[in-house]
Amino acid sequence: MYAQMVKTSGSGVKSRSEMGAQEQAFQARIDAGDKIEPRDWMPDEYRKTLIRQIGQHAHSEIVGQLPEGNWITRAPTLERKAILLAKVQDEAGHGLYLYCAAETLGVSRDELLTELHAGRMKYSSIFNYPTLNWADIGAVGWLVDGAAIVNQVALQRTSYGPYSRAMVRICKEESFHARQGFVIMMKMASGTPAQRAMAQDALDRLWYPSLMMFGPSDKDSVHSEQSMAWKIKVKSNDELRQKYVDQTIPQIEYLGLKCPDADIRWNGEKGGYDFSEPDWAEFYEVIKGNGPCNKERLGARVKAWDDGEWVRDGLMAHAQKKAAAKHAAAQEGSGNVE
Amino acid sequence: MSNEWPLWEIFIRGQHGMSHRHVGSLHAPDAETAIRNGRDVYTRRNEGVSIWAVESAHIAASAPGDKGPYYDPSDSKIYRHPTFFDIPDEVGSM
Ligand SMILES: [Fe+2]
Ligand SMILES: [Fe+2]
C-alpha cells in the first residue's frame, strides 16, 4: 500500500515459548487491543519494522504530491485549482503527521529523508506513474486516494498509538480527496466524447497500478505474518485489494466507464468480484526503480531538499541569533537590578 | 550538515471553550515559526482558535513503569464518585 513490502525484522513469527517474559507481556498487551506508546518497552524488531513502515508511508505522502502538483498550474478553473492546491497541501500534512509518528520511535526526520534520498527507503509504487492530463487528476483522487482510504481505515486500529492517531487524523481528511477526484471523473464522463475518452483512458492506465498499491498477493507476501501478529498490519494485502475492487466496480459502472479487466465478474458465492491480478513483474520493476517516473520523482525530492538547505540553515541561524540576543538582554537586565 | 530544526509539541484549543489539547508535533526553528506552522499543519479545517507550542525537549513525562503505583491507589476509592451514595428519591435532586 502506501507502505508496500515493508521488510519485517526478525525471523518469522515468534511463538510464546521463544519469547522472554517482557516480550510475552508485550504481545499479551497487543492481543488485548492495548495501544503501545512511545516510551513503553517494545521489541527491537517491532520498533525497526515500524520505523520502516511509517517512514515509507510518510515518504509516499510527500512524493505523492508530485504527480498532482504537476497539474496545479493547469487546472481548468480557479475553483479546481484551489481544490487541488488544498488537496496537495493535505498530503504535505499527512507526511508531517507520519514523520512525527516515526520520530517517536527514536529516528529523526532528517535521517528518514537521507534514507529516501539515497534510495534506501521506498515510497508507494503508484507515484512512479505519470499524470498525463486533467482526467488523471480525477482518477488519482478517486482511485489512488480511494485505495489509500481502504488501507488507512484498517490501520486506524494498528497497535502503535502515534501511528494509529495519525491514521485517524488522515482518514478524516481523505474522503475529501476521493470525492473531489470522483467529481472530476463524473464531469468528464458526462462530457464530450473526447472528455469521455480521456476519463476512460485514465482509468485504463491507473486501474492495475492502483491494485498494486496493496502489495503482492498474500501467498507471496513474505513479511506479513509477524506484522499481523504485532498488529502493525491489520488486514492482509489480498483482503484489502478485494474490498477495494468491490467498492470501486459499482463506481466505474456509475460513471458509465469500462473496467480494463475483461475478466471481472461478480462471484455470488464469495460475495465479491473475481478480478485479474496486476502484472507483478511490472510491480517489482517499479519497486526496483525502473518505473516510468522513478528517477524524476526522486530527483525532484533531492533537488527540493538541496535547494532548500540555505532556507533551513538561514532560519535556524536567525533563531539562534535571536535567542542569544534575548539571553544577553536578560543578563544585562538582571545585572541592573540591584 | 545536520542542522535539524528542533521538535515542538502543538496544543490547540477548539472552538467550544475547551482546554488546549495535544494534536501532534512539528519541526520549527523558533516558537514563532512553530505557531505559524502549527496553524498550517493542524488547523486547515477550523480545528482551533488558539495554539500553544512547546519545545518537546521541555516536556516532562511520567514513566510508563510508574503506571501501577501512580494510578492504582485511586481504584479503591470509589466513594469519590457521587453514585457511591444512595440518596432517597424524596430528597430531590442532589
Ligand atoms: Fe494522504
Ligand atoms: Fe489523500
Side-chain angles (χ1 to χ4, degrees):
Chain A
M1 174 71 265
Y2 269 28
Q4 296 154 320
M5 303 192 64
V6 175
K7 189 175 158 294
T8 306
S9 292
S11 45
V13 187
K14 266 195 192 169
S15 69
R16 288 294 156 127
S17 55
E18 294 170 280
M19 296 178 187
Q22 215 168 16
E23 194 167 349
Q24 278 185 22
F26 171 83
Q27 188 63 49
R29 284 186 65 197
I30 291 194
D31 295 344
D34 266 17
K35 294 282 183 229
I36 307 301
E37 295 297 338
R39 284 153 48 96
D40 294 348
W41 184 88
M42 60 187 86
D44 222 33
E45 299 81 28
Y46 175 86
R47 182 188 300 276
K48 281 192 198 142
T49 308
L50 262 179
I51 289 175
R52 272 198 292 268
Q53 179 171 332
I54 302 175
Q56 201 184 109
H57 197 154
H59 295 330
S60 297
E61 303 284 353
I62 298 298
V63 177
Q65 294 180 102
L66 296 169
E68 291 180 294
N70 185 31
W71 280 88
I72 290 173
T73 55
R74 291 174 287 171
T77 66
L78 185 57
E79 187 185 56
R80 279 286 161 208
K81 182 189 287 212
I83 291 170
L84 184 58
L85 199 56
K87 196 268 187 197
V88 172
Q89 191 190 12
D90 271 357
E91 304 301 0
H94 296 178
L96 294 180
Y97 310 155
L98 285 159
Y99 283 126
C100 289
E103 284 186 284
T104 63
L105 292 158
V107 67
S108 78
R109 187 170 77 189
D110 283 9
E111 279 165 358
L112 291 171
L113 291 174
T114 305
E115 293 294 294
L116 172 70
H117 297 159
R120 289 189 294 268
M121 273 183 100
K122 306 276 183 218
Y123 52 87
S124 177
S125 57
I126 189 72
F127 302 119
N128 292 312
Y129 290 86
T131 44
L132 301 177
N133 57 50
W134 182 251
D136 287 12
I137 297 306
V140 164
W142 167 43
L143 295 173
V144 175
D145 290 73
I149 291 170
V150 169
N151 178 56
Q152 293 176 145
V153 163
L155 277 175
Q156 290 181 101
R157 289 185 289 118
T158 190
S159 62
Y160 188 56
Y163 192 25
S164 156
R165 291 190 284 275
M167 285 298 109
V168 170
R169 216 187 155 81
I170 286 175
C171 283
K172 278 194 197 146
E173 302 181 348
E174 284 290 1
S175 41
F176 149 51
H177 300 177
R179 283 173 178 223
Q180 62 86 35
F182 192 71
V183 169
I184 294 176
M185 292 305 280
M186 276 169 38
K187 194 107 192 164
M188 299 205 70
S190 61
T192 64
Q195 287 171 323
R196 280 187 75 81
M198 280 171 76
Q200 181 64 53
D201 167 62
L203 170 60
D204 289 348
R205 279 181 290 107
L206 285 164
W207 172 253
Y208 285 112
S210 299
L211 296 190
M212 291 176 196
M213 288 174 68
F214 298 94
S217 166
D218 292 350
K219 57 183 192 302
D220 305 313
S221 183
V222 266
H223 310 302
S224 287
E225 242 176 302
Q226 178 62 69
S227 288
M228 298 273 267
W230 280 330
K231 293 195 189 150
I232 288 179
K233 208 168 170 164
V234 179
K235 291 212 163 127
S236 82
N237 296 353
D238 285 336
E239 268 178 282
L240 292 169
R241 190 164 19 244
Q242 182 71 52
K243 191 166 191 287
Y244 175 68
V245 170
D246 292 346
Q247 77 174 41
T248 308
I249 294 299
Q251 296 166 357
I252 295 177
E253 284 165 4
Y254 180 86
L255 291 172
L257 299 178
K258 218 174 132 259
C259 180
D261 180 358
D263 293 331
I264 205 122
R265 77 187 122 63
W266 178 255
N267 178 337
E269 213 168 294
K270 77 171 178 188
Y273 288 91
D274 289 331
F275 57 93
S276 309
E277 299 261 318
D279 175 0
W280 291 117
E282 176 183 319
F283 170 75
Y284 288 114
E285 278 305 308
V286 175
I287 288 275
K288 259 195 280 173
N290 304 323
C293 301
N294 294 59
K295 291 201 176 62
E296 186 187 333
R297 300 291 186 239
L298 195 58
R301 286 315 311 157
V302 171
K303 182 175 185 314
W305 178 254
D306 290 346
D307 289 355
E309 187 176 16
W310 70 272
V311 179
R312 295 191 302 275
D313 289 352
L315 285 178
M316 198 64 223
H318 174 70
Q320 279 159 352
K321 207 167 131 186
K322 228 172 40 179
K326 200 172 155 191
H327 185 72
Q331 294 282 31
E332 214 173 279
S334 67
N336 291 340
V337 182
E338 286 282 290
Chain B
M1 175 171 95
S2 174
N3 196 7
E4 193 166 0
W5 292 351
L7 197 62
W8 298 73
E9 300 302 323
I10 304 298
F11 301 79
I12 307 254
R13 187 210 302 285
Q15 304 282 355
H16 305 292
M18 308 291 274
S19 312
H20 283 76
R21 212 168 62 93
H22 183 242
V23 290
S25 41
L26 52 76
H27 287 272
D30 55 25
E32 222 183 300
T33 322
I35 290 172
R36 202 177 310 136
N37 290 355
R39 194 269 316 258
D40 289 345
V41 179
Y42 293 110
T43 68
R44 290 193 303 281
R45 289 175 177 76
N46 274 321
E47 287 95 335
V49 293
S50 162
I51 299 176
W52 288 350
V54 184
E55 218 179 310
S56 309
H58 295 154
I59 301 256
S62 62
D66 288 341
K67 211 166 144 195
Y70 259 51
Y71 310 110
D72 287 354
S74 77
D75 280 355
S76 56
K77 299 178 181 59
I78 48 172
Y79 41 80
R80 282 177 171 156
H81 299 279
T83 45
F84 179 77
F85 304 93
D86 278 329
I87 304 290
D89 289 345
E90 303 92 279
V91 178
S93 69
M94 180 178 282

